[in-house]
């Protein structure tokens, strides 16, 4: 039952738009709390990570940038909403017109720019992993690379157009860009999983399940990390296709999730790698590489056997004519 003090003069659709915009910031804030928690946990593990100082520094800076982007995006959303409902509540037409007509404000432009940067970083690290795992095969990596570059250019142009003083059609401009960014994220994640499963199959058939196990671990990490973003993207795609105002509930959340996922992958890789170093004791005296593709996750220094032997790159087939039975990569 509506309150007798409810705002009058606005349609149900306008009120629902305001409610969805207001609620979306609170939903994103809950995810941001998880982002901060994961940031501190991941930073702790990175500092004690058994890799080179250069790699630790890179991943720590990468993590700090994602957290800063998530913070800026959420802070800008909160400030913009405060202007709509508190600081400038007497804006002609009310909060609804303010939310629609004031999209070109600098504070919102900064927030949009932060969200785009978050997508660039998250998708860029995925693209890097795709290149490593597919061994820089040009006809494999060129299509997603061109798609990624197109997304970057389109996103920059969109932010510039949104920031124009006469911009009043934010939804029509920004959502197609978000859809493209969501699609490329899903495609890159799928390419990583497919490649790792191919490696798992080849190593298992050539060496046995014991040595194929790390590939299954990596695939599970990628799938688990990509699942929340994929589900959220599908929900947003459906709502956007139906022009449902509920789509506004998930846009700020999507930014936070995209910044959160890489941090979760870092934690899983470090912890899983440490556990396998401690618990896995191969009975062979052969020299092995870190599982091919683990370097894409910054983990090649962690996957060493219990005897401390350095691992050289492994392939699905062993070299039959090698006198010391050392495995070689292609």
């Amino acid at each position: 039952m509506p309150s007798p003090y409810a705002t009058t003069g606005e349609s149900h659709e306008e009120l629902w738009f305001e409610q969805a915009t207001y609620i979306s910031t609170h939903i994103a804030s809950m995810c941001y709390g998880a982002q901060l928690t994961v940031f501190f946990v991941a930073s702790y593990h990175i500092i004690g990570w058994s890799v080179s100082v250069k790699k630790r520094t890179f991943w720590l800076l990468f993590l700090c940038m994602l957290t800063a982007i998530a913070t800026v995006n959420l802070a800008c959303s909160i400030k913009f909403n405060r202007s709509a409902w508190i600081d400038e509540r007497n804006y002609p037409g009310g909060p609804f017109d303010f939310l629609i007509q004031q999209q070109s404000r600098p504070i919102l432009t900064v927030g949009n720019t932060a969200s785009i940067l978050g997508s660039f970083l998250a998708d860029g690290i995925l693209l890097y992993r795709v290149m490593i795992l597919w061994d820089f095969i040009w006809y494999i990596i060129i299509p997603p690379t061109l798609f990624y570059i197109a997304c970057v250019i389109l996103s920059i142009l969109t932010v510039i157009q949104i920031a124009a003083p006469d911009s009043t059609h934010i939804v029509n401009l920004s959502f197609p860009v978000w859809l493209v960014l969501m699609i490329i994220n899903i495609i890159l994640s799928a390419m990583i999983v497919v490649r790792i499963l191919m490696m798992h199959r080849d190593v298992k058939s050539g060496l046995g399940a014991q040595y194929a196990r790390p590939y299954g671990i990596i695939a599970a990490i990628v799938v688990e990390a990509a699942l929340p973003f994929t589900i959220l993207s599908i929900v947003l795609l459906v709502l956007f296709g139906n022009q449902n105002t509920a789509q506004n509930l998930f846009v700020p959340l999507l930014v936070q999730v995209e910044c959160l996922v890489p941090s979760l992958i870092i934690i899983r890789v470090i912890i899983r790698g440490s556990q396998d170093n401690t618990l896995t004791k191969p009975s062979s005296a052969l020299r092995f590489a870190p599982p091919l593709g683990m370097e894409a996750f910054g983990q090649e220094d962690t996957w060493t056997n219990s005897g401390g032997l350095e691992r050289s790159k492994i392939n699905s087939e062993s070299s039959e004519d090698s006198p010391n039975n050392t495995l070689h990569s292609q």
Side-chain angles (χ1 to χ4, degrees):
M1 179 179 179
S3 169
Y5 303 105
T7 303
T8 58
E10 289 184 300
S11 66
H12 172 74
E13 290 75 16
E14 292 175 343
L15 288 175
W16 171 223
F17 180 89
E18 292 185 34
Q19 292 166 354
T21 303
Y22 174 79
I23 295 172
S24 66
T25 305
H26 293 278
I27 296 176
S29 297
M30 291 187 285
C31 186
Y32 177 72
Q35 166 71 23
L36 286 181
T37 302
V38 171
F39 168 74
F40 289 114
V41 173
S43 298
Y44 169 80
H45 285 289
I46 289 176
I47 293 173
W49 201 1
S50 57
V51 296
S52 63
V53 175
K54 182 179 179 180
K55 287 189 176 66
R56 287 202 302 268
T57 303
F58 170 80
W59 288 109
L60 190 59
L61 290 177
F62 179 76
L63 196 64
C64 290
M65 290 178 65
L66 286 178
T67 304
I69 286 171
T71 302
V72 170
N73 178 264
L74 183 61
C76 291
S77 296
I78 293 174
K79 177 62 175 67
F80 183 74
N81 291 345
R82 192 188 76 178
S83 298
W85 286 296
I86 299 176
D87 297 339
E88 302 182 47
R89 67 178 69 189
N90 289 327
Y91 184 85
F96 176 79
D97 284 356
F98 182 93
L99 294 172
I100 297 297
Q101 298 173 5
Q102 295 298 314
Q103 294 291 333
S104 61
R105 289 209 169 190
I107 188 67
L108 202 58
T109 301
V110 173
N112 289 331
T113 303
S115 65
I116 296 299
L117 288 176
S119 298
F120 293 167
L121 289 177
D123 293 339
I125 204 67
L126 284 177
L127 182 60
Y128 164 74
R129 288 165 177 163
V130 167
M131 292 179 176
I132 295 293
L133 289 169
W134 286 95
D135 201 22
F136 292 90
I137 302 175
W138 68 270
Y139 57 85
I140 297 292
I141 65 173
I142 284 181
T145 301
L146 293 178
F147 195 19
Y148 176 77
I149 294 174
C151 290
V152 171
I153 296 175
L154 181 61
S155 300
I156 293 174
L157 294 177
T158 301
V159 171
I160 294 175
Q161 190 170 6
I162 291 173
D166 59 347
S167 174
T168 59
H169 43 286
I170 175 70
V171 174
N172 293 332
L173 287 175
S174 63
F175 270 82
V177 176
W178 276 114
L179 298 180
V180 172
L181 292 175
M182 287 185 288
I183 291 173
I184 190 175
N185 188 287
I186 295 173
I187 291 176
L188 293 174
S189 298
M191 292 180 67
I192 291 174
V193 173
V194 168
R195 181 58 171 167
I196 293 175
L197 292 179
M198 291 171 59
M199 295 175 178
H200 179 272
R201 179 200 60 194
D202 293 340
V203 174
K204 184 176 181 180
S205 62
L207 300 175
Q210 179 182 9
Y211 299 107
R213 182 171 177 266
Y215 295 93
I217 293 173
I218 304 173
I221 290 174
V222 175
V223 171
E224 290 174 6
L227 191 60
F229 182 85
T230 302
I231 294 176
L232 187 59
S233 299
I234 294 174
V235 171
L236 190 55
L237 284 171
V238 172
L239 293 174
F240 175 71
N242 295 328
Q243 294 298 309
N244 193 317
T245 304
Q247 61 187 302
N248 293 339
L249 293 170
F250 300 103
V251 175
L253 177 62
L254 192 68
V255 178
Q256 301 299 320
V257 170
E258 192 163 33
C259 292
L260 176 63
V261 166
S263 304
L264 293 175
I265 293 179
I266 292 173
I267 293 177
R268 286 296 309 276
V269 168
I270 297 176
I271 294 178
R272 175 61 72 175
S274 299
Q275 290 175 347
D276 279 17
N277 276 342
T278 303
L279 302 178
T280 303
K281 298 181 181 296
S283 58
S284 172
L286 303 178
R287 298 174 66 244
F288 294 97
L292 181 59
M294 186 61 76
E295 62 269 24
F297 295 85
Q299 189 70 357
E300 70 271 23
D301 296 332
T302 303
W303 294 80
T304 54
N305 61 20
S306 59
L309 297 177
E310 179 184 0
R311 301 185 177 197
S312 60
K313 287 187 177 180
I314 67 174
N315 187 17
S316 60
E317 298 179 358
S318 61
S319 175
E320 296 179 354
D321 57 350
S322 177
N324 60 357
N325 290 330
T326 301
L327 298 179
H328 299 278
S329 62
Q330 290 179 336

